[in-house]
Amino acid sequence: MMFVTAAAATSAAAAGSYPSLSRSRRRRLTVALRSDDVSVTPTTTILTKLKYECATPLPLLQQVANNMSADMRAGLGFGPGPGLPMIPSYVENLPTGNEKGLFYALDLGGTNFRVLRVQLGGKDDRVIATEFDQVSIPQQLMFATSHELFDFIASGLAKFASKEDDRFHISPGRKGEIGFTFSFPVKQTSIDSGILIKWTKGFAVSRTAGRDVVACLNEAMERQGIDMRVSALVNDTVATLAGAEYWDNDVVVAVILGTGSNACYVEQISAIPKLQGHVSSSGKMIISTEWGAFSNGLPLTKFDREMDAASINPGEQIFEKTISGMYLGEIVRRVLLEMAEEGGLFGKSVPQTLSTPFILGTPDLCAMQQDCSGDLHAVGSLLYDKAGVESNLSERETVLEVCETIVKRGGSLAGAGIVGILQKMEEDQRGLIFGNGNRSVVAIDGGLYENYPQYRAYLQDSVKELLGTEKSNNVVIEHTKDGSGIGAALLAASNSIYNQDL
């Protein structure tokens, strides 16, 4: 079974791995802070203002959810305004469980690429066997030509394919088929083609922008003598939905909450004006919302605006910068730096290391929030190790309050985003999500959601608060671990050129 409970402790979010949690610490989702009256200081003034500006009361969360729904509609072509990107995935046929045979997946989304194979046995046997490998991409290839990068990837795939054991076998007379997870901006034109818009994540590969990345990979495989073809081009969120839905037909939404964030859902073709005239046998298609670009009505602070201005993409991906693992630690660092400079937090001198961007990662915030000791020793040790900060108990308590404020906002807003998607689906088809006896599953993957219990709890509480008891009983939030790899292989199977033979 792919799912574990949503309360269970993958990409690690920004700057390191999340800490493992003891059983007692898993139970305790917040650190009890002293409520003693304290005198007003510059630090307390900054903290009070931060809490006020980051607050997520129910009316604000409801407005965020409503804005998300409205921006989704605009992005699909209903207007007014540009709305969210709402990228058609051209995934119209999800796995049914009937798929049989050997299928591969290739996941390229960063400085490593992953290859996976799965032997499918149909309704009775489902997944018979899986195997995967991960290959590091040499830094020089991140700045090489398209030919060189894709030849390296195809070479790694060839080595992996050559190690098939007797658990894996392709049907005679068939060409191998691959699900290609490509997590860079593309303009998708069909299930098995997409034009690269631009490289991101530190890549600057020449002679690729404007080209079909599937053609690039197919040509490289041909040069390497690999008898395979790409049957499905997807992003990691779409692959996660497919992987989760294979095990549970009630999955309608998938969310990635890791270093970055995105969400996708199953939409009716008739509700996508920008695909007017598109013929679909299923009448449905997975839409990638690209919700990281959402910004309508978010509670932002000067620290968010300053971080955004200093980023490589100012003015873009504001929702992602508010809720995802890449940025939560950096927001906290900026708050602590101002408290140190203007409020004397950590004494008279400001540790120079604290001025280093991204010196605090989101896993560090998580580690500090699991500290239940009387003197918050782990908080003090981490502040010293990471930022060169000497701290007393009162200062450590202040640090935890800052962490709590930023993490609560992030988790609550992510929950509001999920409700916005569910609302939009329900408005289009009354009873689809909240109908009597219906069960709608939101599958979530990513290291931030998996490993940060406070964040996870705030997200879940936000969804329940917004929906109310009755409606929330219809919605199940599940953690699906590493679903995107097998999901891509399953999409290769469900979109196989040999499906008529199944």
Side-chain angles (χ1 to χ4, degrees), residues 3 19 76 109 129 150 206 282 333 363 420:
F3 288 136
L76 290 171
F150 280 96
S206 62
S282 69
R333 182 199 69 82

Side-chain angles (χ1 to χ4, degrees), residues 108-329:
L108 176 63
T111 54
N112 300 300
F113 73 88
R114 189 168 61 152
V115 284
L116 174 145
R117 57 176 153 249
V118 56
Q119 189 74 38
L120 301 175
K123 280 288 187 189
D124 294 331
D125 295 323
R126 291 279 174 151
V127 175
I128 296 172
T130 61
E131 194 171 30
F132 76 93
D133 194 14
Q134 185 163 291
V135 181
S136 294
I137 298 174
Q139 190 170 10
Q140 66 268 24
L141 285 180
M142 295 171 66
F143 306 94
T145 65
S146 171
H147 194 293
E148 290 168 328
L149 175 64
F150 280 96
D151 271 8
F152 177 80
I153 292 169
S155 174
L157 175 62
K159 290 175 185 174
F160 180 69
S162 69
K163 298 175 184 176
E164 285 177 11
D165 58 37
D166 56 10
R167 295 175 300 162
F168 303 95
H169 49 87
I170 196 163
S171 300
R174 289 191 177 188
K175 194 181 185 80
E177 294 184 280
I178 300 174
F180 186 17
T181 303
F182 187 77
S183 298
F184 296 91
V186 297
K187 181 181 179 181
Q188 195 139 357
T189 51
S190 70
I191 185 62
D192 59 357
S193 63
I195 306 301
L196 177 68
I197 297 171
K198 63 179 179 180
W199 288 104
T200 56
K201 306 177 187 179
F203 281 74
V205 179
S206 62
R207 304 176 192 171
T208 319
R211 289 203 62 198
D212 182 353
V213 294
V214 171
C216 291
L217 181 56
N218 281 337
E219 290 164 9
M221 289 191 294
E222 192 174 332
R223 288 192 295 271
Q224 295 291 327
I226 306 171
D227 191 25
M228 294 187 188
R229 65 177 295 275
V230 174
S231 297
L233 173 68
V234 296
N235 67 31
D236 55 354
T237 318
V238 172
T240 294
L241 192 154
E245 199 268 350
Y246 182 73
W247 298 103
D248 188 337
N249 294 139
D250 292 332
V251 173
V252 292
V253 177
V255 179
I256 298 292
L257 285 167
T259 305
S261 183
N262 191 18
C264 69
Y265 71 107
V266 180
E267 182 60 278
Q268 300 295 313
I269 294 287
S270 59
I272 313 173
K274 64 184 180 182
L275 286 184
Q276 190 172 8
H278 180 81
V279 178
S280 166
S281 58
S282 69
K284 300 177 181 179
M285 183 183 292
I286 297 179
I287 296 292
S288 179
T289 67
E290 303 299 317
W291 79 355
F294 176 72
S295 62
N296 195 351
L298 299 178
L300 302 176
T301 70
K302 63 174 287 187
F303 306 104
D304 299 294
R305 288 185 281 272
E306 289 171 355
M307 181 184 72
D308 173 56
S311 70
I312 60 172
N313 55 346
E316 300 176 10
Q317 300 298 104
I318 303 301
F319 193 51
E320 183 173 71
K321 289 171 181 172
T322 311
I323 70 168
S324 77
M326 179 74 183
Y327 302 99
L328 299 181

Side-chain angles (χ1 to χ4, degrees), residues 37-50:
D37 290 332
V38 293
S39 59
V40 176
T41 66
T43 292
T44 58
T45 300
I46 293 169
L47 182 58
T48 300
K49 184 179 181 183
L50 180 76

Side-chain angles (χ1 to χ4, degrees), residues 420-459:
I421 294 174
L422 296 174
Q423 278 183 181
K424 194 270 175 197
M425 298 175 74
E426 175 71 13
E427 287 165 5
D428 288 352
Q429 290 183 279
R430 295 291 178 184
L432 175 69
I433 303 298
F434 306 127
N436 227 358
N438 279 11
R439 177 176 177 270
S440 299
V441 177
V442 178
I444 304 182
D445 196 5
L448 174 60
Y449 183 81
E450 178 183 0
N451 297 313
Y452 206 145
Q454 284 87 351
Y455 185 98
R456 186 168 60 242
Y458 284 129
L459 182 152

